[in-house]
Amino acid sequence: LSSAVDSRREQLGEDIMGALRRLVAALVWALPLAAGFVAQPLPAALQRAQSSIATPLRPRASSTGSRVMMMTATAPDPREKLKMAPKLASPPVDSSPQFPKVNGGLLIGNRKLVVVTGASSGLGLYGALELAKSNDYYVVLACRNVERAKRIAQEAGFPKNSYTVMKLELGSLESVRNFVFNLKAFKGPRPLDRLVCNAAVYLPTDPEPRFTEDGFEMTMGVNHLGHFLLTQLLLGDLKRAADPRVIIVGSITGNQNTIGGGLVYPRADLGDLSGMRRGAGFEMADGGNFFGAKAYKDSKVCNMMTVQELHRRFHDDTGITFSSLYPGCIAETGLFREKRGWFRTVFPYFMKYVTGGYVSEAESGRRLFQVVDDDVCTKSGVYWSWNGNAQQVGLYDPFAKEVRGAGGAGGDIFENQYSQSTADASTAKDMYDLSMKLVGLEK
């Protein structure tokens, strides 16, 4: 009997240790999952999938409203509300026009002219600051909140007469067209040398989709379609420059050959583009129900596919260099402003000391500057990265005294590889053609 009790105790001890090991492993994976990548509680997601079977299609958002529309088919269960992360307030889409500036040629002088979207925070702010301080570029800070951008530019130390702020609300196609009109009025006949499409929204905690002024799901509308129209309208001004470049910021989360894109649920998947084929009012590109984390990844796939398709269609004839980049994980960026407070505190430490994918905002800005300016980056159609390809957790190199291999701080620039799904030329062509219709450039 004593032998049986001892055996049972030993087995129980092994079971407890096994459970503890599984718990630790789960926690290691849970933090990156909370990074965005699964922000909507699974029970809520299942409930939505269940209820969507009997939910009619949402109507197209009004193109005349100037506010973000919340289209909710059914009210969430009160018990599920308690599980939803608290959301930070998001300002409405504001497409009101800005009075155009003129005679910009006198300010620009002999410097190259560059437009940077989303230049009031994170990668866009620090990249624009590097460009302005180089004295080789005159920077147009294309931002949705002009007064805020002016204040931040002053606080950040932009040199006097090195920049101007112009209003650009990517959640409104009308605002995109107004921005292009104002830019042309400002610069006059001179060409545009560089266009950096950086601005993005990330809405992982939203249980229901928000829509742009034109009726597109907010993430896809801002991250992809707004930039898509902006690029199309400025191609003529770019091709007249001596060394024109278009840079559209990508992400490892859209590449399935990386940890963040391949192992962290949900994966990006445009499917057969059935959502985009339906026109305004679609929630997801693949026709599925809204999933905020996946919507961001899908939009990044569209960004990187757009770069490749622009290269195939225009590089040889125009000489424009089209490229994308992954600057590393900028863990303190405002992109995560709608995440939980504890996450915004812990995530930078996790990326820096556990995965090795961390890069500071200042270093990310230097990396963006390199793609905009360096002669090394004149090859078109390329996806640029630094310090490994983020296909593994970083390893500390005692000789270099830095973590290598995870795309984080340090290392040299190199030409990275698109994943097979992101490099799918057939899907890229269909996505591009559909985008032309969605933004009103083709019928």
Side-chain angles (χ1 to χ4, degrees):
L1 180 62
S2 176
S3 176
V5 171
D6 290 342
S7 176
R8 178 57 182 162
R9 285 175 177 171
E10 183 178 348
Q11 180 63 46
L12 183 60
E14 290 179 359
D15 290 344
I16 292 174
M17 291 303 297
L20 287 173
R21 284 194 293 269
R22 288 191 293 274
L23 177 60
V24 171
L27 288 173
V28 169
W29 283 103
L31 192 54
L33 289 177
F37 309 128
V38 180
Q40 183 177 350
L42 188 57
L46 293 174
Q47 179 184 336
R48 279 176 37 73
Q50 214 172 31
S51 64
S52 66
I53 297 174
T55 301
L57 290 175
R58 290 171 173 77
R60 173 174 176 165
S62 170
S63 61
T64 60
S66 62
R67 305 227 176 241
V68 178
M69 297 186 177
M70 297 291 292
M71 298 186 176
T72 306
T74 57
D77 187 279
R79 291 169 297 179
E80 297 301 329
K81 286 184 179 180
L82 297 176
K83 301 177 184 178
M84 295 175 186
K87 293 186 295 182
L88 301 181
S90 292
V93 172
D94 178 10
S95 61
S96 58
Q98 179 188 32
F99 191 76
K101 303 176 182 180
V102 295
N103 296 327
L106 297 176
L107 290 171
I108 299 167
N110 294 324
R111 291 173 290 186
K112 298 181 182 72
L113 179 62
V114 55
V115 170
V116 181
T117 71
S120 60
S121 65
L123 174 65
L125 172 62
Y126 283 86
L129 183 59
E130 290 288 326
L131 290 163
K133 285 186 174 181
S134 74
N135 204 36
D136 292 326
Y137 293 89
Y138 185 88
V139 188
V140 174
L141 310 180
C143 304
R144 66 190 313 273
N145 188 324
V146 172
E147 295 307 314
R148 177 178 180 272
K150 287 179 179 178
R151 174 177 55 80
I152 289 175
Q154 290 180 348
E155 294 172 353
F158 276 72
K160 187 178 180 180
N161 295 327
S162 67
Y163 71 97
T164 191
V165 179
M166 289 191 184
K167 182 174 181 176
L168 173 61
E169 169 59 81
L170 289 162
S172 164
L173 298 181
E174 178 185 4
S175 179
V176 174
R177 292 187 173 91
N178 287 339
F179 171 82
V180 172
F181 177 86
N182 290 344
L183 177 66
K184 290 175 182 286
F186 176 74
K187 70 182 184 62
R190 68 178 301 137
L192 175 63
D193 297 279
R194 307 285 196 273
L195 172 62
V196 179
C197 297
N198 158 73
V201 296
Y202 174 46
L203 306 170
T205 63
D206 279 13
E208 297 285 339
R210 312 179 201 189
F211 290 85
T212 69
E213 187 176 88
D214 304 280
F216 303 119
E217 186 277 316
M218 186 65 70
T219 315
M220 186 64 75
V222 170
N223 300 2
H224 169 57
L225 291 172
H227 281 132
F228 185 90
L229 177 61
L230 178 66
T231 302
Q232 297 295 329
L233 297 180
L234 291 174
L235 286 176
D237 295 85
L238 283 156
K239 70 180 183 181
R240 293 190 286 108
D243 177 23
R245 303 186 195 184
V246 174
I247 298 99
I248 304 178
V249 177
S251 172
I252 60 168
T253 63
N255 269 321
Q256 293 187 10
N257 60 356
T258 66
I259 292 176
L263 294 181
V264 179
Y265 178 81
R267 287 187 174 189
D269 183 8
L270 301 183
D272 61 358
L273 299 167
S274 58
M276 295 182 75
R277 295 180 196 280
R278 288 205 299 262
F282 70 90
E283 294 187 7
M284 301 292 290
D286 62 1
N289 293 316
F290 178 72
F291 192 167
K294 182 177 181 295
Y296 177 79
K297 291 186 174 186
D298 287 351
S299 73
K300 290 286 111 179
V301 171
C302 289
N303 287 159
M304 292 183 283
M305 281 186 168
T306 298
V307 165
Q308 297 169 81
E309 194 63 18
L310 285 167
H311 165 72
R312 286 188 284 264
R313 297 187 185 213
F314 297 109
H315 174 67
D316 288 343
D317 292 336
T318 66
I320 300 173
T321 297
F322 301 97
S323 59
S324 186
L325 76 149
Y326 171 60
C329 181
I330 314 166
E332 290 113 344
T333 180
L335 190 64
F336 298 116
R337 58 186 169 268
E338 301 217 11
K339 296 295 295 179
R340 299 165 176 85
W342 69 263
F343 169 81
R344 296 195 299 273
T345 300
V346 173
F347 188 51
Y349 293 99
F350 180 81
M351 295 306 297
K352 190 171 186 177
Y353 297 110
V354 179
T355 71
Y358 173 88
V359 63
S360 69
E361 292 181 310
E363 184 172 359
S364 72
R366 293 191 292 272
R367 288 178 171 184
L368 177 57
F369 173 83
Q370 184 175 10
V371 177
V372 171
D373 182 73
D374 200 327
D375 290 341
V376 171
C377 302
T378 55
K379 184 176 179 180
S380 186
V382 172
Y383 170 50
W384 298 106
S385 296
W386 292 257
N387 194 0
N389 52 20
Q391 293 181 2
Q392 64 183 42
V393 174
L395 301 174
Y396 182 75
D397 183 340
F399 298 102
K401 295 183 178 180
E402 62 183 23
V403 178
R404 292 188 178 274
D412 298 319
I413 193 170
F414 72 99
E415 183 179 337
N416 208 340
Q417 297 298 312
Y418 295 103
S419 66
Q420 184 176 357
S421 58
T422 306
D424 183 344
S426 176
T427 302
K429 178 183 181 302
D430 290 345
M431 181 279 301
Y432 188 100
D433 291 340
L434 287 168
S435 298
M436 290 289 287
K437 295 178 180 178
L438 291 172
V439 299
L441 295 178
E442 288 184 0
K443 293 184 178 179

